[in-house]
Amino acid sequence: METARIPIVLDVDTGVDDACALLLAATHPGLDLRAVSCVGGNAPVDDVVRNTLIALEAAGRRDVPVSRGAERPLLETPVDARHVHGTDGMGELGWPAAPTRVDPRHAVELLRDVCRSAAHDGMPLTLVPLAPMTNIALLLRTYPEVAQGISRIVFMGGGADVGNATASAEFNVFHDPEAAAVVLDAPAELGIDVTMYGLDVFYAPVVTRAEAAGLVALGGRGAAELGGRLIEFQCDRFDRDSATIGDAGAVCAVIDPTLLSTRPLPIRVELGGTWSRGRTIVDRRDWSGDLAHDPHGLAPTRVEVALGVDGPRCAGLWREALLAVGRA
Ligand code: BDR
Ligand code: CA
């Protein structure tokens, strides 16, 4: 018997590794990519839209609606990451623009519509934010009833142990901490299960330069070639022989949850702090004991925090999927 494809929606700030995630989500036979919403993050939102349309064009998916969302975080001043992702936000590959156009709906309205129709069909979808969560926070605050159309949220962001944007905080959460706090309240407030694919696992699934060359060799400006070139860009930028598939790991974990080891843990986002704003504070104490002396108490929300990933199997899933479409 054929297993049903998992309905999925991505929220992105494309972004080299967001593009890697889009290529997988758009082509994997186990997924049904319903829509993509864009937000300012790694690059300004108009660049993000252009890059997203390019990735979907390479994947042969002109049918997927792409919408433009928030230009800036709820409170913070936007700070992009073009020093990591290149001046165009997607690896400076000189790839031609896609002929497709952006959906006329704002990202929040597109997300609302796909969630409502998923609820109507009785097939709730998996929402995968891979960027600052401004669009998602606006969606949940404006249309909380969409929770009925969301089976789970698997987001890339945060970290139990490490930061990258600062010593404390991961980029997506640091960029819009208030938005992340709204989304992390979703298990308690809206009954949505949330999984955090954070920096504790983000760097482990890697593709080597030689493996990337194998993808590039398939050519034709398709998903395999673009994926390979994005890995090569990162290898060059960081002077390494391999590079992480980054955000794409979160999509791999939707396809095969056994790739991750997770624990349901109380979590809060630091919204104050001098050096710690945007940190995800993951409570790993033995909180079965007496917490009467902790003035903060237990966080009201618990999230499945990814603490381990099978890196080789995860990167293998991504690579094999692109090789398969490249050879088809
Ligand atoms: C995250 O920030 C961005 O640079 C990447 O696309 C990823 O989503 C890693 O901190
Ligand atoms: Ca991203």
Side-chain angles (χ1 to χ4, degrees):
M1 201 180 72
E2 217 176 280
T3 0
R5 292 186 302 153
I6 302 168
I8 187 173
V9 169
L10 264 52
D11 185 75
V12 294
D13 61 338
T14 321
V16 169
D17 59 321
D18 302 75
C20 292
L22 285 162
L23 294 174
L24 177 64
T27 58
H28 194 279
L31 299 179
D32 174 11
L33 180 63
R34 298 271 172 91
V36 180
S37 52
C38 298
V39 66
N42 288 324
V45 69
D46 289 322
D47 291 353
V48 170
V49 169
R50 182 201 57 227
N51 295 342
T52 300
L53 293 172
I54 287 175
L56 290 175
E57 177 74 14
R61 293 296 307 273
R62 290 187 183 175
D63 58 304
V64 177
V66 173
S67 62
R68 184 183 189 277
E71 287 176 16
R72 49 157 297 172
L74 298 178
L75 293 181
E76 281 289 342
T77 307
V79 182
D80 66 49
R82 282 183 284 194
H83 60 289
V84 174
H85 295 263
T87 48
D88 63 352
M90 205 174 80
E92 299 166 3
L93 304 179
W95 207 273
T100 35
R101 289 194 184 280
V102 69
D103 191 279
R105 287 167 287 186
H106 187 276
V108 173
E109 267 94 47
L110 175 63
L111 290 167
R112 174 202 60 196
D113 291 351
V114 289
C115 291
R116 276 185 183 164
S117 92
H120 177 266
D121 298 343
M123 280 191 63
L125 53 81
T126 300
L127 180 57
V128 186
L130 303 172
M133 289 193 276
T134 323
N135 287 338
I136 312 303
L138 292 169
L139 172 75
L140 297 180
R141 282 292 190 254
T142 316
Y143 305 109
E145 72 278 7
V146 297
Q148 290 165 16
I150 301 174
S151 67
R152 56 194 292 239
I153 294 176
V154 179
F155 78 97
M156 190 286 131
D161 283 327
V162 282
N164 59 359
T166 70
S168 288
E170 181 279 332
F171 176 84
N172 290 338
V173 178
F174 180 73
H175 195 89
D176 196 339
E178 280 72 22
V182 168
V183 177
L184 290 185
D185 277 347
E189 287 194 354
L190 297 170
I192 304 174
D193 290 339
V194 174
T195 297
M196 179 168 109
Y197 186 90
L199 290 182
D200 311 289
V201 291
F202 180 82
Y203 296 107
V206 294
V207 171
T208 66
R209 198 184 271 280
E211 290 167 338
L215 290 168
V216 171
L218 292 171
R221 289 214 184 271
E225 182 182 353
L226 179 55
R229 289 208 185 280
L230 292 166
I231 296 292
E232 287 180 341
F233 167 80
Q234 291 191 83
C235 290
D236 291 344
R237 176 137 293 206
F238 301 112
D239 196 18
R240 298 253 169 89
D241 287 331
S242 63
T244 177
I245 61 168
D247 289 343
V251 177
C252 293
V254 173
I255 297 166
D256 181 357
T258 69
L259 292 170
L260 295 183
S261 48
T262 66
R263 279 182 65 196
L265 292 167
I267 188 167
R268 286 188 174 103
V269 179
E270 175 60 88
L271 297 177
T274 302
W275 313 113
S276 55
R277 181 162 156 79
R279 183 178 186 89
T280 44
I281 300 170
V282 177
D283 191 347
R284 283 184 284 180
R285 294 173 293 177
D286 174 12
W287 23 262
S288 58
D290 181 7
L291 289 185
H293 300 288
D294 175 355
H296 300 148
L298 209 53
T301 197
R302 278 187 206 181
V303 159
E304 286 290 337
V305 177
L307 295 171
V309 62
D310 185 332
R313 208 153 62 80
C314 188
L317 190 163
W318 182 79
R319 208 168 53 82
E320 292 297 334
L322 295 198
L323 282 170
V325 286
R327 288 178 184 141

